[in-house]
Amino acid sequence: MKFRSIYLSALCGLAVSAAMTSCSDDDEYDPFEYGSKIALPQHRGYVLNEGSYKLNNACISFFDVVADTTTSKEYDLYFVQNGKQLGDTGQDIIEYDDNIYVVVYGSNYIAKLNKAGVEQCRHTFAENHGQPRYAAAVDGMIYVTTVGGYVVRLNANDLSLNADCIVGKAAEQIDEEYGILYVAIGNAYDGTSKSNKIAIIDTKNFNDSNVKTVDVMENTQIVVANDNYVAVQGYGAGGWTNTPLWIYNIKSGKAVDTGEFATYVAEVEGTDKFFCVYSKSDNWIDYSMYYSLYDPVTMKKEDITSKIVAADPSLSSSIVYGISEGENGSFYIMTTKHSSGNGTIYHFNSDFKLVGKFTSWGQNPKKVVLVD
Protein backbone atom coordinates (compact mmCIF):
# COMPACT_ATOMS: atom_id res chain seq x y z
CA MET A 1 0.00 0.00 0.00
CA LYS A 2 2.95 2.31 0.64
CA PHE A 3 4.12 1.86 -2.96
CA ARG A 4 0.60 2.43 -4.20
CA SER A 5 0.42 5.72 -2.27
CA ILE A 6 3.75 6.89 -3.69
CA TYR A 7 2.68 5.88 -7.20
CA LEU A 8 -0.62 7.69 -6.76
CA SER A 9 1.16 10.88 -5.71
CA ALA A 10 3.52 10.72 -8.67
CA LEU A 11 0.76 10.14 -11.21
CA CYS A 12 -1.42 12.85 -9.72
CA GLY A 13 1.48 15.22 -10.16
CA LEU A 14 1.52 14.50 -13.89
CA ALA A 15 -2.08 15.48 -14.44
CA VAL A 16 -2.70 19.05 -13.40
CA SER A 17 -4.86 20.88 -10.88
CA ALA A 18 -8.21 19.12 -11.17
CA ALA A 19 -6.60 15.70 -11.21
CA MET A 20 -4.67 16.68 -8.12
CA THR A 21 -7.94 17.73 -6.51
CA SER A 22 -9.37 14.32 -7.36
CA CYS A 23 -6.44 12.75 -5.53
CA SER A 24 -6.97 14.76 -2.36
CA ASP A 25 -8.28 13.48 0.94
CA ASP A 26 -11.37 15.72 0.73
CA ASP A 27 -13.48 13.19 -1.14
CA GLU A 28 -13.89 9.48 -1.52
CA TYR A 29 -12.93 9.25 -5.17
CA ASP A 30 -10.40 6.51 -5.93
CA PRO A 31 -8.20 7.34 -8.95
CA PHE A 32 -7.48 3.62 -9.33
CA GLU A 33 -11.12 2.52 -9.39
CA TYR A 34 -12.34 -0.13 -11.86
CA GLY A 35 -8.93 -1.79 -11.83
CA SER A 36 -7.01 1.14 -13.26
CA LYS A 37 -3.23 0.80 -13.22
CA ILE A 38 -2.80 4.56 -13.51
CA ALA A 39 -4.28 7.44 -11.52
CA LEU A 40 -7.19 8.95 -13.46
CA PRO A 41 -9.00 12.25 -12.80
CA GLN A 42 -12.54 11.88 -11.54
CA HIS A 43 -14.05 13.82 -14.44
CA ARG A 44 -12.12 12.73 -17.49
CA GLY A 45 -12.33 12.73 -21.22
CA TYR A 46 -10.98 10.10 -23.56
CA VAL A 47 -9.50 10.97 -26.95
CA LEU A 48 -9.56 8.32 -29.65
CA ASN A 49 -6.52 8.77 -31.86
CA GLU A 50 -7.10 7.03 -35.17
CA GLY A 51 -3.39 6.53 -35.85
CA SER A 52 -2.09 5.90 -39.35
CA TYR A 53 -3.56 3.15 -41.50
CA LYS A 54 -1.74 -0.19 -41.23
CA LEU A 55 0.74 1.10 -38.64
CA ASN A 56 -1.09 -0.42 -35.65
CA ASN A 57 -0.77 2.84 -33.70
CA ALA A 58 -4.35 3.72 -32.77
CA CYS A 59 -4.50 4.74 -29.11
CA ILE A 60 -6.61 6.35 -26.41
CA SER A 61 -5.35 9.29 -24.36
CA PHE A 62 -7.09 10.98 -21.44
CA PHE A 63 -7.50 14.46 -19.99
CA ASP A 64 -9.09 16.23 -17.06
CA VAL A 65 -12.44 17.66 -18.17
CA VAL A 66 -12.58 20.28 -15.40
CA ALA A 67 -9.07 21.64 -15.79
CA ASP A 68 -8.76 21.03 -19.56
CA THR A 69 -5.33 19.50 -19.09
CA THR A 70 -3.68 16.23 -19.94
CA THR A 71 -0.67 14.42 -18.50
CA SER A 72 2.83 15.89 -18.87
CA LYS A 73 4.10 12.73 -20.53
CA GLU A 74 2.52 10.47 -23.12
CA TYR A 75 0.26 7.66 -21.96
CA ASP A 76 -1.53 5.23 -24.24
CA LEU A 77 -4.32 4.44 -21.80
CA TYR A 78 -5.45 1.27 -23.55
CA PHE A 79 -1.91 -0.13 -23.59
CA VAL A 80 -1.31 0.76 -19.93
CA GLN A 81 -4.55 -0.86 -18.80
CA ASN A 82 -4.51 -3.92 -21.06
CA GLY A 83 -0.87 -4.61 -21.91
CA LYS A 84 -1.45 -4.60 -25.67
CA GLN A 85 -1.93 -2.19 -28.54
CA LEU A 86 -5.42 -0.97 -29.44
CA GLY A 87 -4.74 -1.90 -33.05
CA ASP A 88 -5.01 -0.52 -36.55
CA THR A 89 -7.19 2.54 -37.28
CA GLY A 90 -9.36 3.68 -34.38
CA GLN A 91 -12.63 4.57 -36.07
CA ASP A 92 -15.18 5.48 -33.39
CA ILE A 93 -15.68 5.67 -29.64
CA ILE A 94 -18.92 6.08 -27.68
CA GLU A 95 -19.97 6.12 -24.04
CA TYR A 96 -23.01 4.10 -23.02
CA ASP A 97 -24.30 3.06 -19.60
CA ASP A 98 -21.00 3.94 -17.87
CA ASN A 99 -18.93 1.90 -20.32
CA ILE A 100 -16.81 2.82 -23.34
CA TYR A 101 -17.14 1.12 -26.73
CA VAL A 102 -14.31 1.57 -29.21
CA VAL A 103 -14.45 0.56 -32.88
CA VAL A 104 -11.16 -0.41 -34.53
CA TYR A 105 -11.62 -0.54 -38.28
CA GLY A 106 -8.35 -2.05 -39.51
CA SER A 107 -8.22 -4.64 -36.74
CA ASN A 108 -11.88 -5.55 -37.36
CA TYR A 109 -13.39 -5.45 -33.88
CA ILE A 110 -15.36 -3.47 -31.32
CA ALA A 111 -14.34 -3.64 -27.66
CA LYS A 112 -16.22 -2.84 -24.49
CA LEU A 113 -14.07 -1.03 -21.92
CA ASN A 114 -15.00 -0.08 -18.39
CA LYS A 115 -14.72 3.52 -17.17
CA ALA A 116 -10.99 3.09 -16.60
CA GLY A 117 -10.32 1.75 -20.09
CA VAL A 118 -9.93 -1.90 -19.02
CA GLU A 119 -11.28 -4.20 -21.74
CA GLN A 120 -14.24 -6.37 -20.72
CA CYS A 121 -14.99 -8.14 -23.98
CA ARG A 122 -14.83 -7.71 -27.75
CA HIS A 123 -16.59 -8.72 -30.94
CA THR A 124 -14.79 -9.57 -34.19
CA PHE A 125 -16.87 -9.05 -37.31
CA ALA A 126 -17.80 -11.84 -39.70
CA GLU A 127 -16.51 -11.82 -43.27
CA ASN A 128 -19.92 -11.05 -44.75
CA HIS A 129 -20.36 -8.07 -42.42
CA GLY A 130 -16.98 -6.60 -43.28
CA GLN A 131 -14.91 -4.23 -41.19
CA PRO A 132 -16.68 -1.98 -38.67
CA ARG A 133 -17.08 1.77 -39.08
CA TYR A 134 -19.26 3.63 -36.54
CA ALA A 135 -21.42 2.84 -33.51
CA ALA A 136 -24.56 4.03 -31.72
CA ALA A 137 -26.32 2.70 -28.62
CA VAL A 138 -29.91 2.48 -27.39
CA ASP A 139 -32.00 0.18 -25.18
CA GLY A 140 -29.20 -2.17 -24.19
CA MET A 141 -27.93 -2.68 -27.74
CA ILE A 142 -24.90 -1.44 -29.67
CA TYR A 143 -25.46 -0.81 -33.38
CA VAL A 144 -22.37 -0.90 -35.62
CA THR A 145 -22.16 -0.05 -39.31
CA THR A 146 -19.89 -2.14 -41.52
CA VAL A 147 -18.16 -1.92 -44.87
CA GLY A 148 -20.24 -4.85 -46.10
CA GLY A 149 -23.33 -2.66 -45.92
CA TYR A 150 -24.79 -3.91 -42.65
CA VAL A 151 -25.92 -2.47 -39.38
CA VAL A 152 -24.97 -5.14 -36.85
CA ARG A 153 -26.82 -5.27 -33.52
CA LEU A 154 -24.84 -6.48 -30.50
CA ASN A 155 -25.81 -6.94 -26.88
CA ALA A 156 -24.20 -4.09 -24.97
CA ASN A 157 -23.39 -6.35 -22.02
CA ASP A 158 -21.24 -8.98 -23.73
CA LEU A 159 -21.13 -7.87 -27.41
CA SER A 160 -22.74 -11.08 -28.58
CA LEU A 161 -24.46 -10.91 -31.97
CA ASN A 162 -28.18 -10.22 -31.71
CA ALA A 163 -29.21 -9.45 -35.29
CA ASP A 164 -28.12 -7.71 -38.46
CA CYS A 165 -29.77 -5.59 -41.09
CA ILE A 166 -28.47 -4.81 -44.56
CA VAL A 167 -28.72 -1.19 -45.73
CA GLY A 168 -26.45 -1.08 -48.79
CA LYS A 169 -22.72 -0.63 -49.35
CA ALA A 170 -21.01 0.95 -47.59
CA ALA A 171 -22.60 1.91 -44.28
CA GLU A 172 -20.80 4.82 -42.64
CA GLN A 173 -21.75 7.05 -39.70
CA ILE A 174 -24.80 6.15 -37.62
CA ASP A 175 -26.84 8.18 -35.13
CA GLU A 176 -29.96 7.56 -33.06
CA GLU A 177 -32.88 9.75 -32.02
CA TYR A 178 -36.00 8.49 -30.19
CA GLY A 179 -35.20 4.88 -31.04
CA ILE A 180 -34.75 5.55 -34.75
CA LEU A 181 -31.41 4.91 -36.45
CA TYR A 182 -30.08 7.15 -39.23
CA VAL A 183 -27.30 5.69 -41.35
CA ALA A 184 -25.10 7.29 -43.99
CA ILE A 185 -24.60 5.05 -47.01
CA GLY A 186 -21.39 5.73 -48.90
CA ASN A 187 -20.15 4.46 -52.22
CA ALA A 188 -18.80 0.91 -52.13
CA TYR A 189 -15.10 0.73 -51.28
CA ASP A 190 -14.41 -1.56 -54.24
CA GLY A 191 -16.06 0.81 -56.70
CA THR A 192 -18.84 -1.60 -57.58
CA SER A 193 -21.72 0.65 -56.56
CA LYS A 194 -22.64 4.21 -55.72
CA SER A 195 -25.22 5.50 -53.28
CA ASN A 196 -27.08 8.77 -52.74
CA LYS A 197 -29.11 7.71 -49.72
CA ILE A 198 -29.38 7.57 -45.98
CA ALA A 199 -31.11 4.63 -44.32
CA ILE A 200 -33.71 4.96 -41.56
CA ILE A 201 -34.42 2.03 -39.23
CA ASP A 202 -36.82 1.74 -36.31
CA THR A 203 -34.98 -0.26 -33.63
CA LYS A 204 -38.30 -1.84 -32.65
CA ASN A 205 -38.60 -3.34 -36.14
CA PHE A 206 -35.00 -4.12 -36.90
CA ASN A 207 -34.99 -6.17 -40.09
CA ASP A 208 -34.20 -5.79 -43.79
CA SER A 209 -37.79 -5.30 -44.90
CA ASN A 210 -38.32 -2.31 -42.60
CA VAL A 211 -35.34 -0.28 -43.82
CA LYS A 212 -36.44 3.01 -45.35
CA THR A 213 -34.21 5.23 -47.48
CA VAL A 214 -34.14 8.92 -48.35
CA ASP A 215 -32.34 10.46 -51.32
CA VAL A 216 -29.57 12.94 -50.49
CA MET A 217 -26.15 13.64 -52.02
CA GLU A 218 -23.94 10.91 -53.43
CA ASN A 219 -21.50 9.09 -51.17
CA THR A 220 -22.88 10.16 -47.79
CA GLN A 221 -20.51 10.02 -44.83
CA ILE A 222 -22.00 11.78 -41.80
CA VAL A 223 -25.42 11.80 -40.15
CA VAL A 224 -26.10 13.82 -36.99
CA ALA A 225 -29.58 13.64 -35.47
CA ASN A 226 -30.76 16.59 -33.38
CA ASP A 227 -34.36 16.42 -32.20
CA ASN A 228 -36.46 17.10 -35.34
CA TYR A 229 -33.64 17.28 -37.87
CA VAL A 230 -30.78 15.22 -39.23
CA ALA A 231 -27.74 16.89 -40.74
CA VAL A 232 -26.27 14.87 -43.61
CA GLN A 233 -22.81 15.39 -45.06
CA GLY A 234 -21.12 13.62 -47.93
CA TYR A 235 -18.71 13.95 -50.79
CA GLY A 236 -21.31 14.39 -53.50
CA ALA A 237 -20.53 13.70 -57.13
CA GLY A 238 -18.22 16.67 -57.63
CA GLY A 239 -15.08 15.54 -55.83
CA TRP A 240 -13.64 15.58 -52.32
CA THR A 241 -13.29 19.32 -51.69
CA ASN A 242 -16.79 20.78 -51.86
CA THR A 243 -18.64 18.47 -49.49
CA PRO A 244 -22.36 19.38 -49.42
CA LEU A 245 -24.57 19.72 -46.34
CA TRP A 246 -28.18 18.52 -46.48
CA ILE A 247 -30.91 18.62 -43.83
CA TYR A 248 -33.47 15.86 -43.35
CA ASN A 249 -36.67 17.02 -41.65
CA ILE A 250 -37.86 14.10 -39.52
CA LYS A 251 -41.46 15.31 -39.28
CA SER A 252 -41.96 16.05 -42.98
CA GLY A 253 -39.81 13.16 -44.20
CA LYS A 254 -38.08 15.41 -46.73
CA ALA A 255 -34.39 16.12 -47.29
CA VAL A 256 -33.11 19.35 -48.84
CA ASP A 257 -29.76 20.63 -50.03
CA THR A 258 -28.82 23.67 -47.92
CA GLY A 259 -26.41 25.00 -50.52
CA GLU A 260 -23.73 25.02 -47.82
CA PHE A 261 -20.65 22.83 -47.35
CA ALA A 262 -19.34 20.97 -44.32
CA THR A 263 -16.55 18.56 -43.52
CA TYR A 264 -17.61 17.76 -39.94
CA VAL A 265 -20.92 18.28 -38.12
CA ALA A 266 -21.99 18.11 -34.47
CA GLU A 267 -25.25 19.00 -32.76
CA VAL A 268 -25.45 22.08 -30.53
CA GLU A 269 -26.81 21.02 -27.16
CA GLY A 270 -30.20 22.46 -26.23
CA THR A 271 -30.93 23.84 -29.71
CA ASP A 272 -31.92 22.62 -33.17
CA LYS A 273 -28.67 23.97 -34.55
CA PHE A 274 -25.60 22.18 -35.87
CA PHE A 275 -21.97 23.19 -35.45
CA CYS A 276 -20.18 22.80 -38.78
CA VAL A 277 -16.56 22.86 -39.84
CA TYR A 278 -15.68 23.14 -43.51
CA SER A 279 -12.18 22.41 -44.71
CA LYS A 280 -11.49 23.83 -48.15
CA SER A 281 -8.32 22.79 -49.96
CA ASP A 282 -7.45 22.99 -53.61
CA ASN A 283 -4.25 21.00 -53.42
CA TRP A 284 -4.48 18.93 -50.19
CA ILE A 285 -1.62 20.97 -48.74
CA ASP A 286 -2.92 24.48 -48.06
CA TYR A 287 -6.14 24.47 -46.06
CA SER A 288 -8.64 27.18 -45.25
CA MET A 289 -10.98 26.44 -42.36
CA TYR A 290 -14.51 27.82 -41.96
CA TYR A 291 -16.70 27.48 -38.86
CA SER A 292 -20.44 28.04 -38.67
CA LEU A 293 -23.72 27.30 -36.94
CA TYR A 294 -26.49 26.05 -39.18
CA ASP A 295 -30.12 26.54 -38.11
CA PRO A 296 -32.42 24.00 -39.83
CA VAL A 297 -35.52 25.92 -38.70
CA THR A 298 -34.61 29.15 -40.49
CA MET A 299 -32.38 27.35 -43.02
CA LYS A 300 -29.66 29.93 -42.41
CA LYS A 301 -25.98 29.79 -41.54
CA GLU A 302 -24.20 31.95 -38.96
CA ASP A 303 -20.51 32.32 -39.81
CA ILE A 304 -18.44 32.11 -36.60
CA THR A 305 -15.04 31.73 -38.25
CA SER A 306 -13.81 35.09 -36.95
CA LYS A 307 -14.71 34.14 -33.36
CA ILE A 308 -12.93 30.80 -33.54
CA VAL A 309 -9.84 32.20 -35.24
CA ALA A 310 -9.67 35.16 -32.84
CA ALA A 311 -9.40 32.65 -29.99
CA ASP A 312 -6.53 30.82 -31.71
CA PRO A 313 -5.22 32.03 -35.10
CA SER A 314 -3.79 28.59 -35.91
CA LEU A 315 -7.36 27.32 -36.40
CA SER A 316 -7.61 29.31 -39.63
CA SER A 317 -5.41 26.78 -41.40
CA SER A 318 -4.79 23.83 -39.08
CA ILE A 319 -6.32 20.65 -40.47
CA VAL A 320 -9.40 19.72 -38.45
CA TYR A 321 -9.82 15.95 -38.09
CA GLY A 322 -12.92 15.82 -35.92
CA ILE A 323 -15.31 17.70 -33.64
CA SER A 324 -17.15 16.45 -30.56
CA GLU A 325 -19.76 17.73 -28.13
CA GLY A 326 -18.72 18.69 -24.63
CA GLU A 327 -20.66 19.64 -21.53
CA ASN A 328 -22.98 22.65 -21.23
CA GLY A 329 -23.01 23.44 -24.93
CA SER A 330 -19.23 23.35 -25.29
CA PHE A 331 -17.39 21.52 -28.05
CA TYR A 332 -13.97 20.11 -28.90
CA ILE A 333 -12.09 20.71 -32.14
CA MET A 334 -9.36 18.19 -33.00
CA THR A 335 -6.57 19.05 -35.42
CA THR A 336 -4.04 16.73 -36.99
CA LYS A 337 -0.47 16.67 -38.27
CA HIS A 338 -1.26 13.33 -39.92
CA SER A 339 1.73 10.98 -39.46
CA SER A 340 4.22 13.71 -38.56
CA GLY A 341 3.22 14.14 -34.92
CA ASN A 342 0.57 14.40 -32.24
CA GLY A 343 -2.63 16.33 -32.84
CA THR A 344 -4.10 19.10 -30.73
CA ILE A 345 -7.43 19.36 -28.88
CA TYR A 346 -9.14 22.76 -28.54
CA HIS A 347 -12.04 23.15 -26.10
CA PHE A 348 -14.50 26.00 -26.71
CA ASN A 349 -17.41 26.97 -24.50
CA SER A 350 -20.89 27.79 -25.82
CA ASP A 351 -19.84 31.44 -26.31
CA PHE A 352 -16.96 30.35 -28.59
CA LYS A 353 -14.33 31.23 -26.01
CA LEU A 354 -11.26 28.99 -25.93
CA VAL A 355 -11.15 27.42 -22.46
CA GLY A 356 -8.58 24.69 -23.01
CA LYS A 357 -5.90 23.44 -25.40
CA PHE A 358 -3.71 20.34 -25.07
CA THR A 359 -1.93 17.63 -27.03
CA SER A 360 -3.81 14.56 -28.17
CA TRP A 361 -0.84 12.30 -27.39
CA GLY A 362 -1.45 10.45 -30.66
CA GLN A 363 -1.80 10.76 -34.41
CA ASN A 364 -5.06 11.89 -36.01
CA PRO A 365 -7.34 12.59 -33.02
CA LYS A 366 -10.84 11.64 -34.15
CA LYS A 367 -13.30 11.92 -31.29
CA VAL A 368 -13.70 12.87 -27.63
CA VAL A 369 -16.02 11.20 -25.12
CA LEU A 370 -16.53 12.30 -21.52
CA VAL A 371 -16.61 10.00 -18.49
CA ASP A 372 -17.73 10.88 -14.96
Side-chain angles (χ1 to χ4, degrees):
M1 292 301 294
K2 182 178 180 181
F3 172 77
R4 187 172 184 272
S5 298
I6 294 172
Y7 187 55
L8 169 58
S9 298
L11 267 295
C12 286
L14 291 176
V16 288
S17 57
M20 292 176 66
T21 300
S22 297
C23 298
S24 72
D25 296 329
D26 296 334
D27 55 48
E28 297 179 356
Y29 173 68
D30 178 6
F32 292 92
E33 67 177 352
Y34 298 100
S36 180
K37 299 175 183 176
I38 187 172
L40 296 173
Q42 184 172 5
H43 305 289
R44 56 189 174 272
Y46 289 155
V47 180
L48 175 63
N49 292 292
E50 181 181 290
S52 295
Y53 185 51
K54 292 187 176 181
L55 292 186
N56 198 46
N57 61 346
C59 66
I60 297 173
S61 60
F62 68 93
F63 64 95
D64 190 297
V65 172
V66 177
D68 273 313
T69 50
T70 186
T71 50
S72 60
K73 66 177 290 187
E74 184 169 357
Y75 284 100
D76 178 345
L77 182 69
Y78 182 84
F79 182 81
V80 169
Q81 304 292 46
N82 299 285
K84 56 186 176 182
Q85 297 296 132
L86 183 62
D88 175 32
T89 316
Q91 189 66 38
D92 197 13
I93 187 169
I94 63 172
E95 186 275 338
Y96 178 66
D97 198 21
D98 285 337
N99 291 297
I100 301 297
Y101 297 84
V102 58
V103 178
V104 189
Y105 163 73
S107 297
N108 192 38
Y109 75 89
I110 180 173
K112 175 186 177 182
L113 316 179
N114 68 14
K115 292 174 69 172
V118 179
E119 183 171 328
Q120 307 298 294
C121 57
R122 68 169 57 187
H123 175 90
T124 299
F125 290 83
E127 184 176 354
N128 68 306
H129 288 153
Q131 292 166 291
R133 296 296 288 167
Y134 295 91
V138 61
D139 294 336
M141 297 291 172
I142 307 297
Y143 295 85
V144 185
T145 60
T146 69
V147 170
Y150 286 85
V151 176
V152 178
R153 184 162 73 182
L154 308 171
N155 289 291
N157 184 46
D158 60 5
L159 293 182
S160 59
L161 178 64
N162 177 274
D164 62 22
C165 184
I166 193 161
V167 295
K169 295 184 177 181
E172 292 290 346
Q173 194 172 47
I174 183 171
D175 203 359
E176 177 270 337
E177 191 83 355
Y178 305 123
I180 306 297
L181 301 174
Y182 300 92
V183 184
I185 308 174
N187 292 345
Y189 285 25
D190 59 9
T192 57
S193 66
K194 295 182 178 181
S195 172
N196 68 329
K197 301 180 184 300
I198 59 169
I200 302 173
I201 313 168
D202 188 336
T203 57
K204 303 300 183 184
N205 295 288
F206 186 76
N207 57 67
D208 296 351
S209 61
N210 285 315
V211 175
K212 300 177 181 178
T213 58
V214 175
D215 290 350
V216 286
M217 82 289 286
E218 184 182 312
N219 201 6
T220 61
Q221 298 293 305
I222 292 174
V223 288
V224 179
N226 187 7
D227 200 14
N228 295 315
Y229 301 91
V230 179
V232 184
Q233 180 269 359
Y235 292 124
W240 292 54
T241 298
N242 294 321
T243 46
L245 174 70
W246 284 53
I247 294 292
Y248 172 68
N249 186 315
I250 294 175
K251 290 185 176 180
S252 71
K254 296 180 180 180
V256 296
D257 185 351
T258 67
E260 305 293 344
F261 300 104
T263 308
Y264 298 101
V265 183
E267 67 175 291
V268 179
E269 182 183 1
T271 76
D272 289 315
K273 297 178 181 180
F274 297 94
F275 174 57
C276 301
V277 179
Y278 173 43
S279 172
K280 185 175 183 180
S281 173
D282 294 327
N283 56 15
W284 297 96
I285 297 175
D286 297 323
Y287 287 80
S288 296
M289 305 303 304
Y290 300 91
Y291 306 86
S292 64
L293 296 178
Y294 190 83
D295 188 338
V297 178
T298 63
M299 299 296 283
K300 292 182 179 180
K301 178 184 76 172
E302 177 189 355
D303 191 331
I304 58 171
T305 303
S306 61
K307 296 179 181 180
I308 299 296
V309 172
D312 194 308
S314 68
L315 286 171
S316 66
S317 57
S318 295
I319 304 170
V320 174
Y321 209 72
I323 56 176
S324 295
E325 293 176 71
E327 295 178 331
N328 303 315
S330 69
F331 53 91
Y332 297 90
I333 298 175
M334 289 145 276
T335 65
T336 182
K337 295 181 180 178
H338 294 305
S339 60
S340 63
N342 295 327
T344 302
I345 313 298
Y346 301 79
H347 185 200
F348 283 82
N349 66 18
S350 58
D351 294 323
F352 316 116
K353 303 295 184 182
L354 183 64
V355 294
K357 176 181 177 180
F358 48 91
T359 177
S360 69
W361 288 129
Q363 294 177 11
N364 301 321
K366 195 173 186 71
K367 190 174 180 181
V368 166
V369 293
L370 306 183
V371 182
D372 288 322

